[in-house]
Amino acid sequence: MTDPPTKPLLVCDTQPLGPLAGFRRVLVFGGSFDPPHLAHVSLPEQVRQAIGADVVVYMPAGRAPHKLNKQQTDSKHRLAMLRLALADAIEAKTAVVLEDEIRRVEQDGRPSYTVDTLTELQKQIDPGAEMRLLIGTDQVRIFKTWRAWERVIELAQPVVMVRPPETKLDLPEAWRDRVVEVATSKISSTQVRQQVAVGGAMEGMLAGNVATYIRKNKLYLAE
């Protein structure tokens, strides 16, 4: 009599099989990306290299808690533009775009709390892998108003990008060691939307394919 076949090991019991499998250090970067501009692409990549992260995980917000009174462009457009802007990095596997926050809002309408996002992401990374959270200096000022901010730090130690006109010295001393020096950029999504609304040029602010997408879909036009 032959022995019965042994049950194969289920790799998913110990290893995630999703888009974050195999990475040892992931840098999480959230935002509205409305629209994603050149600094959204170049600056996180500089930070990724500086801290030795494998990948930047872009997490478009469904409903940012601090922007509940502001109208956001439909998530399908923000996702499409972000993937266009990051096309080269996605192909190189140094960037991943996840829809977790958008999907959560579509399911129950809840705002996009970072602590919820990181808790779910922890389940998607390899055992022993590390998460870091990339934020700007504007978020440092309000960090202690975030939901469960102490837990946020436990899940993913923050890394800070300085946004002009601020400097490292403008931060509380306890935060200065978290700063990663990157090239400064004055581009903002607000500036881009304002330019588009008045028919201004988008060169130097957006990737060409993103600018084309905006024109094709008639986004950000003045009403």
Side-chain angles (χ1 to χ4, degrees), residues 87-108:
D88 291 342
I90 291 172
E91 184 176 2
K93 301 187 185 307
T94 57
V96 172
V97 177
L98 297 184
E99 302 177 28
D100 298 44
E101 290 196 356
I102 289 172
R103 192 178 300 115
R104 192 161 64 236
V105 167
E106 290 174 347
Q107 289 172 349
D108 58 25

Side-chain angles (χ1 to χ4, degrees), residues 10-139:
L10 297 178
V11 177
C12 60
D13 286 346
T14 57
Q15 294 283 348
L17 298 179
L20 301 184
F23 295 121
R24 303 306 301 165
R25 177 176 287 176
V26 299
L27 179 64
V28 182
F29 183 43
S32 298
F33 305 113
D34 193 11
H37 50 70
L38 292 178
H40 283 143
V41 178
S42 63
L43 301 188
E45 172 60 16
Q46 292 178 43
V47 177
R48 182 191 73 80
Q49 294 184 28
I51 69 170
D54 301 306
V55 66
V56 181
V57 177
Y58 283 80
M59 186 69 71
R63 292 177 65 217
H66 60 293
K67 296 183 179 181
L68 296 180
N69 62 338
K70 296 183 180 180
Q71 185 67 34
Q72 282 188 149
T73 303
D74 191 291
S75 59
K76 70 177 182 182
H77 290 308
R78 292 188 289 119
L79 279 168
M81 289 188 289
L82 188 55
R83 289 185 171 119
L84 287 170
L86 294 167
D88 291 342
I90 291 172
E91 184 176 2
K93 301 187 185 307
T94 57
V96 172
V97 177
L98 297 184
E99 302 177 28
D100 298 44
E101 290 196 356
I102 289 172
R103 192 178 300 115
R104 192 161 64 236
V105 167
E106 290 174 347
Q107 289 172 349
D108 58 25
R110 285 186 299 152
S112 304
Y113 291 111
T114 300
V115 67
D116 295 336
T117 298
L118 294 176
T119 298
E120 290 303 311
L121 282 181
Q122 190 178 48
K123 302 172 185 176
Q124 301 178 43
I125 63 176
D126 288 352
E130 177 189 16
M131 287 192 297
R132 304 292 300 274
L133 178 66
L134 180 58
I135 62 175
T137 47
D138 55 331
Q139 293 302 306

Side-chain angles (χ1 to χ4, degrees), residues 158-188:
V159 181
V160 181
M161 290 188 300
V162 175
R163 300 182 64 176
E166 295 176 302
T167 70
K168 181 177 180 178
L169 295 180
D170 293 316
L171 295 176
E173 188 170 353
W175 281 86
R176 293 175 189 172
D177 288 343
R178 299 183 184 275
V179 170
V180 172
E181 301 288 349
V182 295
T184 58
S185 173
K186 296 182 180 180
I187 305 173
S188 71

